[in-house]
Amino acid sequence: MGTVSSRLPVFPWDRLEPYKTTAAAYADGIVDLSVGTPVDPVPALVQKALTEAADSPGYPTVWGTAALRDAITGWGGERLGATGLGHANVLPVVGSKELVAWLPTQLGLGAGDRVAYPRLAYPTYEVGARLAGADPVVYDDPWELDPAGLKLLWLNSPSNPTGRVLSADELRRTVAWAREHGVLLFSDECYIELGWEADPVSVLHPDVCGGSYDGIVAVHSLSKRSNLAGYRAAFLLGDAAVLGELLQIRKHGGMMIPAPVQAATVAALGDTEHVGEQRERYARRRTALREALEAAGFRIEHSEASLYLWATRDESCWDTVADLAKRGILVAPGDFYGTAGERFVRVAFTATDERVDEAVRRLAQ
């Protein structure tokens, strides 16, 4: 019996372990700027909602409570500018990575089908295609793809790892192209509330989609904007027919968000104050790290949004990783995200203020 794991690339983060060991041996400890996991407290109102819903002995529903669906549609209208959203246009999911990894399989894709994603991209887009037995395809401009056999097209704006933001014109052109060729378009927008030098636009905005959600779905998460990575709280908005089909499949698979997390999600989506406070924290850290990296000889490209700085010294990314590890700083090598990133590193600014300050000090040495 063949193993499914044989279809997959080596898990990238395992390759970083020796450098993590080096960085951890530094006299004042490691400054981990690699994974980008939130470190700041979960907002108090979210913790309160979770606690108050803790007595939840029964099974939750895959589609979520009516209150959760109301919260998602309301947020989609207010934050994304999406119009006419109803409950049929939303679907809660157990974290966005789970959705990305298993979407091609749940769509019934397989041998001979093609899944496209950006040349520099979150590795799980490729993993999802390979798990389904489909063919992964990378692109620079999606409208230049050969549409033959192309069943799923991933957009990612703001981008992980580069922080690049697609303009409304680029999004509009891609939506039109996908519809013309009958290609299902999923837009990963998990960093949309973290624009710094650009104002990211959702694929669901009427200026992009023309007020119709046919053939398009947006992916959103509370991991970054609300520090809820540990809660695995994410959701989809868009084409009711696509989400209805996924709902039926996910019911059979028991893919349900725990009831307390559903309640916490409602609280998080209903509050903007904590989002603003967290943005201020990240803005300070971003400015400090960017200035320190540039002073140390790095060039920053894109990085107009998201939680990362896409940095290069025009050398192998692994040489950069090794050098910074000797200073106790751990970053992600750019080739984790595709061969086009082999001379870049991704630097997360999700560490605490104290650790960011320490990284700035070490970079100046």
Side-chain angles (χ1 to χ4, degrees):
M1 182 178 69
T3 59
V4 174
S5 65
S6 66
R7 304 176 191 169
L8 307 179
V10 174
F11 186 63
W13 296 101
D14 289 346
R15 297 166 55 200
L16 201 58
E17 284 301 313
Y19 302 92
K20 186 174 183 178
T21 299
T22 298
Y26 194 84
D28 195 26
I30 189 173
V31 177
D32 193 342
L33 308 178
S34 61
V35 176
T37 187
V39 298
D40 299 303
V42 172
L45 83 164
V46 177
Q47 295 189 49
K48 182 174 183 290
L50 183 84
T51 302
E52 291 178 349
D55 187 13
S56 299
Y59 290 112
T61 64
V62 173
W63 201 19
T65 63
L68 176 58
R69 284 176 262 136
D70 283 341
I72 296 172
T73 57
W75 180 85
E78 294 171 10
R79 181 60 187 82
L80 306 181
T83 58
L85 289 171
H87 285 196
N89 299 114
V90 302
L91 179 64
V93 294
V94 190
S96 58
K97 183 169 185 175
E98 171 266 312
L99 181 280
V100 173
W102 293 107
L103 179 64
T105 298
Q106 292 175 14
L107 292 173
L109 305 190
D113 296 324
R114 299 164 69 228
V115 175
Y117 51 89
R119 188 172 301 279
L120 278 168
Y122 184 46
T124 313
Y125 303 135
E126 177 187 358
V127 167
R130 294 190 181 281
L131 283 171
D135 298 323
V137 180
V138 299
Y139 65 78
D140 295 306
D141 294 309
W143 49 82
E144 295 179 355
L145 285 163
D146 179 356
L150 184 61
K151 298 298 178 66
L152 175 62
L153 170 63
W154 279 106
L155 296 183
N156 180 208
S157 175
S159 163
N160 174 15
T162 68
R164 180 189 173 198
V165 174
L166 298 176
S167 69
D169 285 342
E170 289 174 301
L171 292 171
R172 185 163 46 244
R173 181 177 181 183
T174 305
V175 168
W177 182 90
R179 286 173 170 167
E180 177 185 355
H181 296 288
V183 178
L184 178 60
L185 188 157
F186 266 65
S187 180
D188 181 346
E189 302 175 351
C190 288
Y191 295 90
I192 202 165
E193 300 217 55
L194 295 162
W196 309 110
E197 296 157 4
D199 187 12
V201 179
S202 173
V203 75
L204 301 182
H205 194 284
D207 289 348
V208 173
C209 68
S212 168
Y213 305 131
D214 290 348
I216 58 173
V217 175
V219 182
H220 287 273
S221 166
L222 299 185
S223 293
K224 312 302 184 184
R225 54 92 77 180
S226 298
N227 299 334
L228 297 187
Y231 283 47
R232 312 313 301 136
F235 50 90
L236 310 178
L237 306 97
D239 190 320
V242 174
L243 299 187
E245 174 67 11
L246 291 175
L247 174 60
Q248 296 307 313
I249 294 165
R250 295 171 72 84
K251 283 180 178 178
H252 283 288
M255 295 177 172
M256 58 190 78
I257 298 177
V261 175
Q262 293 189 29
T265 300
V266 173
L269 289 175
D271 180 70
T272 58
E273 183 177 351
H274 78 273
V275 180
E277 291 173 353
Q278 190 59 44
R279 277 181 55 86
E280 290 177 4
R281 295 186 189 106
Y282 284 143
R284 291 194 301 270
R285 296 165 187 168
R286 177 181 184 270
T287 298
L289 281 172
R290 179 166 195 152
E291 291 176 352
L293 286 165
E294 290 176 335
F298 285 86
R299 185 176 73 255
I300 308 299
E301 293 194 359
H302 295 301
S303 307
E304 58 259 33
S306 82
L307 290 177
Y308 314 107
L309 295 169
W310 189 236
T312 181
R313 289 192 306 202
D314 295 310
E315 64 185 3
S316 163
C317 60
W318 288 101
D319 288 345
T320 306
V321 168
D323 177 63
L324 291 177
K326 292 175 184 176
R327 304 192 217 183
I329 301 170
L330 188 68
V331 297
D335 67 2
F336 276 12
Y337 309 95
T339 56
E342 60 190 6
R343 298 178 73 80
F344 286 80
V345 292
R346 194 194 74 170
V347 184
F349 43 89
T350 54
T352 64
D353 291 342
E354 183 274 329
R355 287 287 87 185
V356 167
D357 289 344
E358 179 61 18
V360 169
R361 186 188 68 79
R362 295 178 190 182
L363 286 166
Q365 292 178 338

